[in-house]
Amino acid sequence: MDTDGSSIPDEEWERFLREAEARTPGAPEEPSARARMVAQRLREETGPPPGWRTHQPPRRRGRVWYVVGLVVVVALLIVALVPGRAAGWLGFGDGGGSTAPTPGAPTLDDPFKGSPAEHWAAGTAGITMPSARAAGWMSEKQVSDALDRSLAFLSDSGLDPAVLRGERPAKAIGALNTKQPGIKEYLANAFDSPTREDDPLTLFSRFDPAYARPAGDVVKTRGELTYREGERGAVEVTADVTFVYALVRASGDGDEVARTIARREIVMSWDDPGKVITVPGTFSLKSYRLDSANGGCENTTGYFRPDFEKEPGPSDGATEVDPYERSTSMDERMKGRDTADCDTATRT
């Protein structure tokens, strides 16, 4: 403001506008309509401008229109700078639905996103091991070895990348006591002509390479090994582990990620060779069972077949099960359930 009370000269004001616009990237060469109005009003004013911090009665209507105008200008700037994002903020769609992943949906970069497994450990790191002590016919060192071999079986049967790609689990099969009655027949049927009764998936995780492939090298796990003295002094190691697999279509078309969850409970009997016919360094199968989600309910192909759907389908009266829930024991979970029935996973 001039100290003599006169208005800003027209030339100075116009120069100010030109300089201000020149410092604004992408600004129009001509002054805006509002700038021209302000300049015109200043030229028409006859009295001195109001002093700094001088009180004036508020002009409410003028302020309302000023605020509205400011909002409109800001909105137009946003639309001009980021039209796609602004359309989403303002509720406008493209009419064909967005292809962007929904919040929490798995992606190729984060295939476990949106599931509890996102915070689980990977591989054998997610399986808790007990401290070894002498039990049954085994010394503390032998129990420790049995626990390590039991963990290796879980890795070879549920984590081996080659097995996940559909190959036969040769190393895992080598840990089984083939002297156990019925085991050779089970293995032959399970891989050559699988059925609901002779299903390799109860022990081994495999995916048909022509249908699906792992989305990366990570398998999330949560579970534990426990042990106790069993029949005839055997050491029975029980594994209760949930495996979470992220898959993509084998064809490589698209980036949709599906997850298959397999909870296995396997009781491995490390028998006293003086009392039971066994192959040294192997265990007998005391029991084994599987509770899986998104692996193909009525599937008897010998491979998990995940459904590449974003959300679980309708239950149609089937029992709803949370495949990530582990506070319920397998006995409780399987109680009253017919293994021939298809339950509905509440999430994958």
Side-chain angles (χ1 to χ4, degrees):
M1 179 187 350
D2 292 344
T3 55
D4 60 0
S6 62
S7 302
I8 298 175
D10 292 347
E11 296 79 3
E12 291 295 321
W13 177 249
E14 290 176 356
R15 182 174 62 83
F16 171 80
L17 291 177
R18 286 195 300 272
E19 291 178 354
E21 291 167 355
R23 288 193 296 267
T24 304
E29 295 181 0
E30 293 295 329
S32 66
R34 178 170 179 79
R36 290 194 298 269
M37 291 173 61
V38 171
Q40 179 65 29
R41 187 175 70 244
L42 289 175
R43 284 194 292 268
E44 294 173 354
E45 288 181 352
T46 58
W52 184 51
R53 291 186 179 176
T54 300
H55 172 73
Q56 287 186 327
R59 295 184 296 174
R60 299 184 180 275
R61 183 174 180 179
R63 177 167 296 182
V64 169
W65 281 110
Y66 173 79
V67 172
V68 171
L70 181 60
V71 170
V72 171
V73 170
V74 171
L76 291 175
L77 285 174
I78 292 174
V79 172
L81 294 174
V82 283
R85 185 172 298 180
W89 291 340
L90 299 175
F92 301 119
D94 57 9
S98 174
T99 58
T102 57
T107 65
L108 290 175
D109 293 331
D110 193 356
F112 300 98
K113 184 178 181 179
S115 76
E118 184 177 9
H119 307 291
W120 290 8
T124 57
I127 304 173
T128 302
M129 297 282 285
S131 299
R133 65 180 187 281
W137 71 279
M138 287 185 166
S139 66
E140 179 179 321
K141 175 63 166 62
Q142 290 173 310
V143 169
S144 179
D145 290 343
L147 290 172
D148 289 342
R149 290 174 179 173
S150 299
L151 183 65
F153 173 79
L154 296 177
S155 177
D156 295 336
S157 61
L159 300 173
D160 188 325
V163 177
L164 297 182
R165 292 193 302 267
E167 296 183 18
R168 293 203 178 193
K171 290 179 64 177
I173 290 174
L176 302 176
N177 177 21
T178 53
K179 300 292 185 180
Q180 181 181 0
I183 192 65
K184 289 183 178 180
E185 292 76 12
Y186 160 72
L187 293 173
N189 294 334
F191 292 103
D192 294 335
S193 54
T195 64
R196 188 175 293 277
E197 289 73 28
D198 293 326
D199 186 355
L201 298 179
T202 53
L203 284 176
F204 314 102
S205 293
R206 308 167 73 228
F207 296 90
D208 185 349
Y211 178 78
R213 58 184 174 82
D217 301 326
V218 176
V219 177
K220 293 300 188 81
T221 61
R222 177 158 291 186
E224 62 179 353
L225 293 183
T226 57
Y227 67 95
R228 68 182 183 88
E229 182 177 345
E231 298 177 358
R232 294 182 291 276
V235 174
E236 294 182 356
V237 177
T238 298
D240 183 352
V241 180
T242 300
F243 300 83
V244 184
Y245 305 97
L247 293 309
V248 293
R249 299 179 190 274
S251 63
D253 296 334
D255 57 359
E256 185 177 2
V257 177
R259 288 189 290 255
T260 293
I261 302 97
R263 180 179 178 182
R264 290 194 180 92
E265 183 190 76
I266 306 171
V267 180
M268 297 165 269
S269 181
W270 294 89
D271 300 313
D272 182 351
K275 298 179 181 179
V276 177
I277 299 175
T278 184
V279 177
T282 67
F283 64 84
S284 300
L285 286 167
K286 181 77 173 180
S287 65
Y288 51 99
R289 49 187 172 178
L290 166 72
D291 188 19
S292 64
N294 197 30
C297 175
E298 298 178 352
N299 169 31
T300 56
T301 64
Y303 302 100
F304 285 127
R305 290 182 63 87
D307 185 5
F308 287 90
E309 292 288 340
K310 292 295 186 183
E311 298 293 339
S315 62
D316 294 329
T319 302
E320 293 189 346
V321 177
D322 180 357
Y324 292 97
E325 191 273 320
R326 289 189 49 82
S327 62
T328 303
S329 68
M330 284 288 275
D331 283 336
E332 294 175 297
R333 173 164 287 191
M334 305 300 288
K335 185 177 181 181
R337 291 170 57 187
D338 189 336
T339 56
D341 292 339
C342 291
D343 298 325
T344 297
T346 57
R347 55 182 174 175
T348 57

